[in-house]
Amino acid sequence: MDKIVRVLLCFAFFGVSLAHAEQYPSKVITIVVPFSAGGPTDTSARLLGQTMGAALKTQMIVENVAGAGGTIAAAKVAGSPPDGYTVFFHHIGFSTAPSLYRKLPYDTIKDFEPIGLIGDVAMTLVARKDFPAKDLKELITYVKANKEKVNLANAGLGAASHLCGMLFMSAIQTEFTTIPYKGTGPAMNDLLGGQVDFMCDQTSNTISQIKAGKVKVYGVTTKTRVSALPDVPTLQEAGLPGFEVSVWQGLYVPKATPKAVIDTLVKALQTALADPALRKRFDELGTEAASKENATPEALRKHLKSEIDKWAPIIKKAGVYAD
């Protein structure tokens, strides 16, 4: 009799466990964004969260954990329970941190499980509205002649805006003052207020300001023009041959997250990226949504590794490090 009871209890326990596993998600999911609210990464994460949340039939909220180029947020996610209720939305900066920081409180490859690529965002070189230079050639000439006076804002060490700024300085062979912020949201506010001269930022944060005439734009950083800004030339067209940088974005969860949970998130990501309304909003922000083939753990894992290898020698040559 006792044996039968034990068997029944085992079946009951197994049934409860199975039911619990099948219930994911059963509560709110937090998307950790490594930059302040109002910036381009935050904007993209909130748009994706709304659409993914609908696919998952739950709410996805954004938690902004700014500072140290995204490493504080990454460490927070790495130490979170691997249950699928904490996901990490980061961009190209996740691949440069291993080279930029002498010591990280996490392992970029070993402490995370990739969900998939989200998209690629073009960047724009913009300046305060009253900046003297009217085009890129004049900007380069002005910067070279006034390198002790001009300054460029960025979202902090390792941020996309910082990387773009480094490439720009390298391309024109001129170094000038850079001013780090805890995100491009506050950096943009100071650019609009005239406290800083110019910055290189994602189109998702600059298009509205460009169209409203609140900033001066010199070009986009991609090979081809952005459909949302058809009259803005590429920096290559404007006079910087070979200058190209785009901001890819990816979604991650802590290591040891169950495969069933990862599969659920992958499916929701693919569903969201195929949604016409989301694709339209992404297009308006200069973001190219990832294909279904790239919105997978395998594609993101491969891309992350290749980007780490790509940026390591560039950063080493620039001699930019943080403790």
Side-chain angles (χ1 to χ4, degrees):
M1 186 68 178
D2 289 343
K3 184 177 181 181
I4 294 174
V5 171
R6 285 198 298 272
V7 170
L8 290 173
L9 286 173
C10 286
F11 273 115
F13 178 77
F14 178 77
V16 170
S17 299
L18 188 61
H20 178 74
E22 292 175 345
Q23 286 176 0
Y24 175 83
S26 60
K27 60 181 181 179
V28 173
I29 297 173
T30 298
I31 303 176
V32 176
V33 172
F35 304 106
S36 59
T41 306
D42 175 73
T43 298
S44 297
R46 290 178 190 276
L47 288 171
L48 182 70
Q50 290 173 4
T51 314
M52 272 190 73
L56 291 165
K57 294 182 173 57
T58 193
Q59 184 182 11
M60 297 187 82
I61 62 171
V62 169
E63 179 184 359
N64 299 97
V65 183
T71 62
I72 295 174
K76 176 182 174 68
V77 174
S80 298
D83 54 11
Y85 291 102
T86 301
V87 299
F88 190 36
F89 187 115
H90 204 350
H91 58 38
I92 186 174
F94 197 43
S95 66
T96 60
S99 299
L100 283 168
Y101 290 85
R102 299 182 191 280
K103 186 177 181 181
L104 289 174
Y106 60 85
D107 187 296
T108 305
I109 301 296
K110 296 180 180 179
D111 291 342
F112 298 87
E113 297 284 358
I115 299 300
L117 284 159
I118 296 162
D120 282 286
V121 190
M123 301 194 78
T124 50
L125 185 62
V126 296
R128 53 184 167 83
K129 186 178 179 179
D130 59 349
F131 199 73
K134 71 175 186 296
D135 57 29
L136 182 65
K137 289 183 179 180
E138 285 193 8
L139 173 67
I140 294 172
T141 300
Y142 185 90
V143 169
K144 284 178 174 290
N146 298 276
K147 59 184 180 182
E148 294 84 8
K149 301 177 183 178
V150 298
N151 54 60
L152 178 143
N154 63 53
L157 186 69
S161 52
H162 173 236
L163 298 173
C164 186
M166 279 202 307
L167 288 177
F168 181 65
M169 284 190 284
S170 176
I172 67 173
Q173 298 182 339
T174 304
E175 292 188 4
F176 42 83
T177 301
T178 59
I179 303 177
Y181 288 79
K182 289 186 177 181
T184 45
M188 176 59 76
N189 287 336
D190 275 7
L191 185 72
L192 294 173
Q195 281 79 44
V196 290
D197 293 320
F198 62 107
M199 66 188 296
C200 189
D201 196 13
Q202 298 173 56
T203 50
S204 48
N205 195 41
T206 61
I207 283 179
S208 61
Q209 310 295 353
I210 292 169
K211 289 185 174 181
K214 294 181 178 180
V215 296
K216 190 173 289 186
V217 61
Y218 296 101
V220 296
T221 64
T222 43
K223 281 184 178 179
T224 58
R225 296 192 181 196
V226 174
S227 59
L229 296 169
D231 297 327
V232 177
T234 67
L235 290 180
Q236 295 188 50
E237 290 176 310
L240 275 181
F243 192 99
E244 181 189 355
V245 58
S246 62
V247 182
W248 58 269
Q249 303 164 328
L251 200 65
Y252 311 81
V253 289
K255 194 72 175 180
T257 298
K259 185 179 184 302
V261 171
I262 291 175
D263 290 344
T264 298
L265 288 169
V266 171
K267 184 178 179 181
L269 174 62
Q270 293 175 346
T271 299
L273 293 176
D275 182 81
L278 180 66
R279 295 182 74 90
K280 182 175 183 293
R281 284 293 292 125
F282 269 17
D283 186 60
E284 291 170 349
L285 296 170
T287 302
E288 182 180 353
S291 64
K292 184 177 181 179
E293 293 72 26
N294 284 332
T296 63
E298 296 76 19
L300 178 53
R301 185 179 292 109
K302 181 179 179 181
H303 190 70
L304 175 62
K305 179 64 169 61
S306 68
E307 286 287 289
I308 290 174
D309 294 342
K310 169 188 171 182
W311 282 99
I314 296 174
I315 292 170
K316 183 178 180 180
K317 184 177 180 181
V320 181
Y321 300 101
D323 293 326

